[in-house]
Amino acid sequence: MSPRRSRDGGILSTLLLVAANLLVPIAIFVFGKGFFPYKPLLPGLATYGESSVYGEPPKAQFDKLVFMVVDALRSDFVYTATSGFKFTQSYVSEYCPTQMGGKADREGNRLIRDGGALPFTAHATSPTVTMPRLKAITTGSIPSFLDVVLNLDEGDESSSLASQDTWLAQMKRKKKGKLVMYGDDTWLKLFPGMFDRFEGTTSFFVSDFTEVDNNVTRHVPEELERKDWNTLVLHYLGLDHIGHKGGPRSPHMLNKQHEMDGIVKQIYQAIESKDHLKSTLFVICGDHGMNDAGNHGASSAGETSPALLFLSPKLKKLNKRHRAPLPENPDFQYYDTVEQSDLAPTLAALMGVPISKNNLGATIPDFLPFWSSSEVKAEILMRNADQIMQVAHAAFGQKMYEWSFKEDGKPETDDEKLAAGYMEFEQLYQQVYRGASPDLYQEMIPKAGNWLHEAQSFLSGMASNYDTPQMLLGFGIALSALVLALISSPTLPSIPFSLVTLAYGAMMFASSYVEEEQHFWYWSTTAWFGYLLVRGLNRKTAHPIAHAVSFGVILLAARIIKSWNQTGQKFAGEPDIVTLYLQTSPVLLWCLVGATYFWIQQHLTFGLSSLPIWLSFATSIGLVLAAFTFKVAFVVEDAPELLTEFVKKLLEINFSGGGRELVERARAVFIGLGILMAASLGFMGAKKQISQGQPGVFTALTVLTLFLVTQSRVTDIPLFLLYNLQFRLLLSYVPELELGEITLSSLLLQYASFFAQGGSNAISSIDLSSAYNGIATYNATFVGILTFLSNWAGPVYWAVATVILLLSKRQHLLSRRRGGEEGNVYKLHVSLMTVFIAAATAAVMGACGVLRDHLFIWTVFSPKYLYVVAWAGGVHLGVNVGMGGLFYWLGVREGSGREKA
């Protein structure tokens, strides 16, 4: 890397660098507004009079609706032999003879096995998070991917469905009773003013497994006695929270399923026994499922396969009995699979209300036998088709029929084929309606089903109404940021840095590479440190054996880190160090965890050596012990199977249990860490030393490490031992590294550590288990910060560790009197990091723009764009530039005081 300027370029280059960093978030915002627009919607509420079909509206089969959402209710949680939904299954003596006697058999043999419940697996399209899924369930439409972001904002009101047509709005317009809701307050955001009685619970306080559901259940007995409602919505969150904290195999999961099954039994038996509930339809569904880690948001089979059941004694006359339970299925497909949006037209038919205007769902044919007349059955399907064609007309207009004016009269495009199919279907319907042969009705049913699903697939897959000029503007701003960052850099980027940047940008245009991005960083990191190893040996360093051993250890540590957690899409379930060794051997796990805390305690004691020895020792021991016992108590609540008997006994000394005590423990640790960090930075700012043997920034890094360990999963804590080993070895070779090489090392290690701790480009990999440490109620700011620091703990560690490498390099340049190069140290680091993040942002924007019609645009590229927001805004601006800049400035200030002394 050859210098372009011997000295700092001055104020102009600094201003250019500042401008480049300001343009990156501006580019993200501008491009995002064009890429994530709201789709056009048909306004108003549908009425039967608007339809082009003939005849009176089909008779309603039910007067009341109980709609129960169990958040993250994956299909196997209900349908398999390991499920806790025994009453729902009718899990009788045939499967479990010792647990259920004759009386229980008679009580249980009523639902799935006896036709009192119709079970389905509902396909939930990505993004599999609550808000867009509730939109799909209630409107029958396909929500915007932007709802992923809105789903995280408890205070957002722009996502309201108040002005959209839904089956809730149709039920309210019937004026046959009140609408009542208890549970997830997302319903209150989506439907302001819709419910006559309600009580909301926050959906993001994932530490709460119990009260969040008890607050719903306590209203159920009272509402079952009331006669004044026609729609009762219940949304339970505890099962989802357990998934986020402990995964689908959490020891809490089965008990929660039993609890939910008890609610099902209570409601179903009330429908059977109470006259005012005789004509009540009971629907149970999950808004989404979960993956093997207990998270959701992406498109894996577990996330997209929630259970869906319709329950009522009246369903028995359909004579649709099913086997229950079913054997495990790795694809999570049980019974018939329907689209989640199919709920909307099906409920409309059963409850006797018009289908929502923007619906893309198809009426589930299993319910058609409720109507004996072939004409009525045909009319229900025709109304569904007619409504979907109105959506198609809004999207394509009259050009759908241009094929009919051509000489050959054959449709060519997908929208023309859709119109041709509809016309053929409509002709069949009219013949059936006019009393033609019943055989025509039998011919019409499969044609209707095929057309409805083809229309659903086509219209659901249409590209959004992208604002292309705004997307191009955002892309242009990102390129401008890249150019400014290059101009402001004191040196040209090296060949290795340029290769990494260019290869990464090119990789963003391939969906498979985006899904498996971790391999790029693992192999790039290995190749880079292998290059440094070989280069050092070729240069014949003073201590070649020591050099070879040091970089060999760095490479070995990188290999272990790479194998710690399998991530991505293809290999996410494959064996790794955590699953093979740590989860199966708690003794080994806690030996490594204990070693990590002991290492932190030793470094902390040394880092406070300017204080009286009793104070430094007591502070380090007390704080580390408090952090360790909090982590053990946390594991007791989340994953007790990971504990050893010794650790359990150690905790029993001073832990009585309970979520509130966990909150207080976490707060005590955070307060202690905050005070110690403030003291460390204060000493540095005052040009004093808090440690006699090392700069204060080392102490600050140790304090930060203890915080990051607290925010990490217990199985990932030993990774920080490996990070520290790599860091210490790199620090000893700083004199041999150029400034740009330090920056490239930092870049590679930041990204590699993110993926090593289980991160990926899927929304479902975001870990919420530590997002509520020290928080008793939901707070968007604190939860957001803790979530970010939990998921990006590795990059945050390396960002601050890099500051120490830069300060060491600066000191080396000062000792060598290298013509004022020390003044460019931090500026060069930031400019190169800005070059990479601007290039990466532009590349992802380019990929999203060019591939906006790609099959995986919403499952792969759009989530990647959201991760770019986190990397650019959180890691780059917040940590590398903001926190790193503060630590570097204080380190320089402390160093100047040490030199004067």
Side-chain angles (χ1 to χ4, degrees), residues 435-474:
S437 169
D439 292 339
L440 277 178
Y441 168 71
Q442 297 302 326
E443 180 184 345
M444 176 185 173
I445 292 296
K447 286 183 177 292
N450 291 337
W451 185 89
L452 286 171
H453 286 101
E454 288 174 5
Q456 182 183 57
S457 176
F458 171 59
L459 294 172
S460 299
M462 285 192 313
S464 294
N465 56 328
Y466 300 109
D467 188 338
T468 305
Q470 189 146 12
M471 291 169 63
L472 289 173
L473 177 60

Side-chain angles (χ1 to χ4, degrees), residues 49-70:
E50 293 176 0
S51 178
S52 65
V53 296
Y54 307 98
E56 293 295 322
K59 180 183 177 182
Q61 297 299 314
F62 298 93
D63 298 329
K64 292 178 181 287
L65 172 66
V66 177
F67 195 82
M68 177 175 166
V69 179
V70 180

Side-chain angles (χ1 to χ4, degrees), residues 592-607:
L592 293 173
V593 170
T596 307
Y597 279 100
F598 178 74
W599 155 71
I600 293 174
Q601 187 272 326
Q602 291 295 301
H603 278 72
L604 199 54
T605 300
F606 183 65

Side-chain angles (χ1 to χ4, degrees), residues 77 139 158 181 237 250 347 391 406 433 439 547 602 606 621 650 744 761:
F77 293 165
T139 66
S158 61
M181 195 289 299
L237 292 162
S250 165
L347 286 179
V391 177
K406 298 177 182 177
Y433 179 79
D439 292 339
H547 176 88
Q602 291 295 301
F606 183 65
I621 285 286
L650 178 66
L744 179 56
N761 287 323

Side-chain angles (χ1 to χ4, degrees), residues 52-54 362-363 368 374 377-389 417-433 440-455:
S52 65
V53 296
Y54 307 98
T363 303
L368 291 178
S374 298
K377 295 175 186 178
E379 182 185 348
I380 290 172
L381 296 175
M382 190 63 221
R383 287 181 180 275
N384 195 172
D386 189 69
Q387 173 270 318
I388 288 180
M389 275 304 291
K417 292 176 182 178
L418 187 69
Y422 171 76
M423 292 172 65
E424 180 183 353
F425 174 39
E426 186 178 34
Q427 290 173 2
L428 270 176
Y429 165 72
Q430 291 184 16
Q431 293 179 59
V432 171
Y433 179 79
L440 277 178
Y441 168 71
Q442 297 302 326
E443 180 184 345
M444 176 185 173
I445 292 296
K447 286 183 177 292
N450 291 337
W451 185 89
L452 286 171
H453 286 101
E454 288 174 5

Side-chain angles (χ1 to χ4, degrees), residues 697 701 704-705 708 720 723 727 742-743 745-751 753-754 788-789 792-807 826 829-830 833 871 874-888:
V697 69
L701 177 62
L704 178 66
T705 302
L708 295 175
F720 288 88
Y723 297 160
F727 162 64
I742 295 175
T743 296
S745 299
S746 175
L747 176 69
L748 294 171
L749 290 167
Q750 285 184 41
Y751 276 85
S753 64
F754 169 76
F788 171 76
L789 293 172
W792 276 268
V796 172
Y797 172 88
W798 278 112
V800 177
T802 302
V803 171
I804 298 177
L805 299 178
L806 295 173
L807 288 169
Y826 182 69
H829 172 67
V830 172
M833 294 296 280
W871 279 104
V875 179
H876 177 66
L877 293 177
V879 180
N880 280 308
V881 177
M883 184 188 296
L886 174 64
F887 279 41
Y888 184 83

Side-chain angles (χ1 to χ4, degrees), residues 23-35 470 474 845 865 869:
L23 285 178
V24 170
I26 293 174
I28 289 172
F29 176 76
V30 172
F31 184 90
K33 285 192 68 178
F35 186 58
Q470 189 146 12
M845 289 178 178
Y865 185 81
V869 175

